[in-house]
PDB file of all heavy atoms in Angstrom:
ATOM      1  N   GLN A  64     -45.352  30.834  -0.051  1.00 96.00           N
ATOM      2  CA  GLN A  64     -44.297  29.823   0.053  1.00 96.00           C
ATOM      3  C   GLN A  64     -44.238  29.022  -1.233  1.00 96.00           C
ATOM      4  O   GLN A  64     -45.223  28.398  -1.621  1.00 96.00           O
ATOM      5  CB  GLN A  64     -44.549  28.885   1.232  1.00 96.00           C
ATOM      6  CG  GLN A  64     -43.525  27.776   1.292  1.00 96.00           C
ATOM      7  CD  GLN A  64     -43.808  26.755   2.375  1.00 96.00           C
ATOM      8  OE1 GLN A  64     -44.500  27.034   3.330  1.00 96.00           O
ATOM      9  NE2 GLN A  64     -43.265  25.562   2.219  1.00 96.00           N
ATOM     10  N   PHE A  65     -43.078  29.026  -1.863  1.00 96.00           N
ATOM     11  CA  PHE A  65     -42.850  28.153  -3.011  1.00 96.00           C
ATOM     12  C   PHE A  65     -42.262  26.862  -2.478  1.00 96.00           C
ATOM     13  O   PHE A  65     -41.269  26.878  -1.740  1.00 96.00           O
ATOM     14  CB  PHE A  65     -41.885  28.808  -4.007  1.00 96.00           C
ATOM     15  CG  PHE A  65     -42.538  29.846  -4.854  1.00 96.00           C
ATOM     16  CD1 PHE A  65     -42.647  31.147  -4.409  1.00 96.00           C
ATOM     17  CD2 PHE A  65     -43.079  29.506  -6.088  1.00 96.00           C
ATOM     18  CE1 PHE A  65     -43.268  32.106  -5.188  1.00 96.00           C
ATOM     19  CE2 PHE A  65     -43.704  30.468  -6.875  1.00 96.00           C
ATOM     20  CZ  PHE A  65     -43.801  31.768  -6.420  1.00 96.00           C
ATOM     21  N   SER A  66     -42.881  25.741  -2.823  1.00 95.00           N
ATOM     22  CA  SER A  66     -42.418  24.451  -2.322  1.00 95.00           C
ATOM     23  C   SER A  66     -42.536  23.387  -3.399  1.00 95.00           C
ATOM     24  O   SER A  66     -43.089  23.624  -4.465  1.00 95.00           O
ATOM     25  CB  SER A  66     -43.206  24.054  -1.069  1.00 95.00           C
ATOM     26  OG  SER A  66     -44.581  24.087  -1.322  1.00 95.00           O
ATOM     27  N   ALA A  67     -41.992  22.229  -3.076  1.00 94.00           N
ATOM     28  CA  ALA A  67     -42.024  21.083  -3.987  1.00 94.00           C
ATOM     29  C   ALA A  67     -42.424  19.846  -3.184  1.00 94.00           C
ATOM     30  O   ALA A  67     -42.188  19.784  -1.971  1.00 94.00           O
ATOM     31  CB  ALA A  67     -40.656  20.877  -4.625  1.00 94.00           C
ATOM     32  N   PRO A  68     -43.024  18.853  -3.839  1.00 91.00           N
ATOM     33  CA  PRO A  68     -43.475  17.659  -3.119  1.00 91.00           C
ATOM     34  C   PRO A  68     -42.353  16.909  -2.402  1.00 91.00           C
ATOM     35  O   PRO A  68     -42.590  16.297  -1.365  1.00 91.00           O
ATOM     36  CB  PRO A  68     -44.089  16.785  -4.214  1.00 91.00           C
ATOM     37  CG  PRO A  68     -44.359  17.688  -5.356  1.00 91.00           C
ATOM     38  CD  PRO A  68     -43.383  18.810  -5.259  1.00 91.00           C
ATOM     39  N   VAL A  69     -41.148  16.946  -2.924  1.00 92.00           N
ATOM     40  CA  VAL A  69     -40.049  16.180  -2.325  1.00 92.00           C
ATOM     41  C   VAL A  69     -39.209  17.017  -1.360  1.00 92.00           C
ATOM     42  O   VAL A  69     -38.169  16.564  -0.911  1.00 92.00           O
ATOM     43  CB  VAL A  69     -39.138  15.582  -3.421  1.00 92.00           C
ATOM     44  CG1 VAL A  69     -39.914  14.581  -4.257  1.00 92.00           C
ATOM     45  CG2 VAL A  69     -38.552  16.679  -4.294  1.00 92.00           C
ATOM     46  N   CYS A  70     -39.659  18.206  -1.028  1.00 92.00           N
ATOM     47  CA  CYS A  70     -38.891  19.135  -0.197  1.00 92.00           C
ATOM     48  C   CYS A  70     -39.212  18.918   1.277  1.00 92.00           C
ATOM     49  O   CYS A  70     -40.307  19.269   1.735  1.00 92.00           O
ATOM     50  CB  CYS A  70     -39.220  20.561  -0.630  1.00 92.00           C
ATOM     51  SG  CYS A  70     -38.593  21.835   0.445  1.00 92.00           S
ATOM     52  N   ALA A  71     -38.269  18.364   2.025  1.00 92.00           N
ATOM     53  CA  ALA A  71     -38.482  18.142   3.457  1.00 92.00           C
ATOM     54  C   ALA A  71     -38.535  19.446   4.254  1.00 92.00           C
ATOM     55  O   ALA A  71     -39.402  19.602   5.114  1.00 92.00           O
ATOM     56  CB  ALA A  71     -37.401  17.217   4.006  1.00 92.00           C
ATOM     57  N   PRO A  72     -37.657  20.435   4.005  1.00 94.00           N
ATOM     58  CA  PRO A  72     -37.754  21.693   4.762  1.00 94.00           C
ATOM     59  C   PRO A  72     -39.050  22.464   4.491  1.00 94.00           C
ATOM     60  O   PRO A  72     -39.439  23.318   5.280  1.00 94.00           O
ATOM     61  CB  PRO A  72     -36.545  22.506   4.288  1.00 94.00           C
ATOM     62  CG  PRO A  72     -35.605  21.516   3.708  1.00 94.00           C
ATOM     63  CD  PRO A  72     -36.451  20.394   3.183  1.00 94.00           C
ATOM     64  N   CYS A  73     -39.719  22.167   3.379  1.00 94.00           N
ATOM     65  CA  CYS A  73     -40.973  22.857   3.065  1.00 94.00           C
ATOM     66  C   CYS A  73     -42.036  22.585   4.125  1.00 94.00           C
ATOM     67  O   CYS A  73     -42.842  23.459   4.445  1.00 94.00           O
ATOM     68  CB  CYS A  73     -41.493  22.443   1.692  1.00 94.00           C
ATOM     69  SG  CYS A  73     -40.432  23.012   0.337  1.00 94.00           S
ATOM     70  N   ARG A  74     -42.034  21.391   4.700  1.00 95.00           N
ATOM     71  CA  ARG A  74     -43.004  21.070   5.745  1.00 95.00           C
ATOM     72  C   ARG A  74     -42.759  21.913   6.986  1.00 95.00           C
ATOM     73  O   ARG A  74     -43.696  22.413   7.609  1.00 95.00           O
ATOM     74  CB  ARG A  74     -42.956  19.579   6.068  1.00 95.00           C
ATOM     75  CG  ARG A  74     -43.495  18.714   4.947  1.00 95.00           C
ATOM     76  CD  ARG A  74     -43.587  17.251   5.343  1.00 95.00           C
ATOM     77  NE  ARG A  74     -42.307  16.565   5.354  1.00 95.00           N
ATOM     78  CZ  ARG A  74     -41.693  16.068   4.291  1.00 95.00           C
ATOM     79  NH1 ARG A  74     -42.253  16.212   3.104  1.00 95.00           N
ATOM     80  NH2 ARG A  74     -40.548  15.459   4.390  1.00 95.00           N
ATOM     81  N   ALA A  75     -41.482  22.106   7.336  1.00 94.00           N
ATOM     82  CA  ALA A  75     -41.152  22.941   8.489  1.00 94.00           C
ATOM     83  C   ALA A  75     -41.531  24.398   8.215  1.00 94.00           C
ATOM     84  O   ALA A  75     -42.072  25.081   9.088  1.00 94.00           O
ATOM     85  CB  ALA A  75     -39.667  22.829   8.812  1.00 94.00           C
ATOM     86  N   ALA A  76     -41.275  24.882   7.012  1.00 95.00           N
ATOM     87  CA  ALA A  76     -41.643  26.254   6.653  1.00 95.00           C
ATOM     88  C   ALA A  76     -43.151  26.426   6.704  1.00 95.00           C
ATOM     89  O   ALA A  76     -43.649  27.460   7.175  1.00 95.00           O
ATOM     90  CB  ALA A  76     -41.103  26.594   5.264  1.00 95.00           C
ATOM     91  N   ARG A  77     -43.895  25.442   6.246  1.00 95.00           N
ATOM     92  CA  ARG A  77     -45.359  25.484   6.263  1.00 95.00           C
ATOM     93  C   ARG A  77     -45.870  25.655   7.691  1.00 95.00           C
ATOM     94  O   ARG A  77     -46.786  26.441   7.946  1.00 95.00           O
ATOM     95  CB  ARG A  77     -45.919  24.205   5.645  1.00 95.00           C
ATOM     96  CG  ARG A  77     -47.410  24.187   5.471  1.00 95.00           C
ATOM     97  CD  ARG A  77     -47.897  22.888   4.811  1.00 95.00           C
ATOM     98  NE  ARG A  77     -47.210  22.623   3.552  1.00 95.00           N
ATOM     99  CZ  ARG A  77     -46.496  21.522   3.290  1.00 95.00           C
ATOM    100  NH1 ARG A  77     -46.360  20.568   4.203  1.00 95.00           N
ATOM    101  NH2 ARG A  77     -45.930  21.352   2.124  1.00 95.00           N
ATOM    102  N   ARG A  78     -45.264  24.931   8.636  1.00 96.00           N
ATOM    103  CA  ARG A  78     -45.671  25.038  10.042  1.00 96.00           C
ATOM    104  C   ARG A  78     -45.363  26.427  10.602  1.00 96.00           C
ATOM    105  O   ARG A  78     -46.170  27.014  11.327  1.00 96.00           O
ATOM    106  CB  ARG A  78     -44.987  23.967  10.879  1.00 96.00           C
ATOM    107  CG  ARG A  78     -45.547  22.573  10.661  1.00 96.00           C
ATOM    108  CD  ARG A  78     -45.013  21.588  11.677  1.00 96.00           C
ATOM    109  NE  ARG A  78     -43.570  21.406  11.602  1.00 96.00           N
ATOM    110  CZ  ARG A  78     -42.950  20.515  10.828  1.00 96.00           C
ATOM    111  NH1 ARG A  78     -43.662  19.730  10.046  1.00 96.00           N
ATOM    112  NH2 ARG A  78     -41.648  20.415  10.825  1.00 96.00           N
TER     113      ARG A  78
END
Side-chain angles (χ1 to χ4, degrees):
Q64 176 185 338
F65 282 86
S66 54
V69 296
C70 170
C73 293
R74 290 186 284 278
R77 186 178 306 121
R78 286 190 297 271

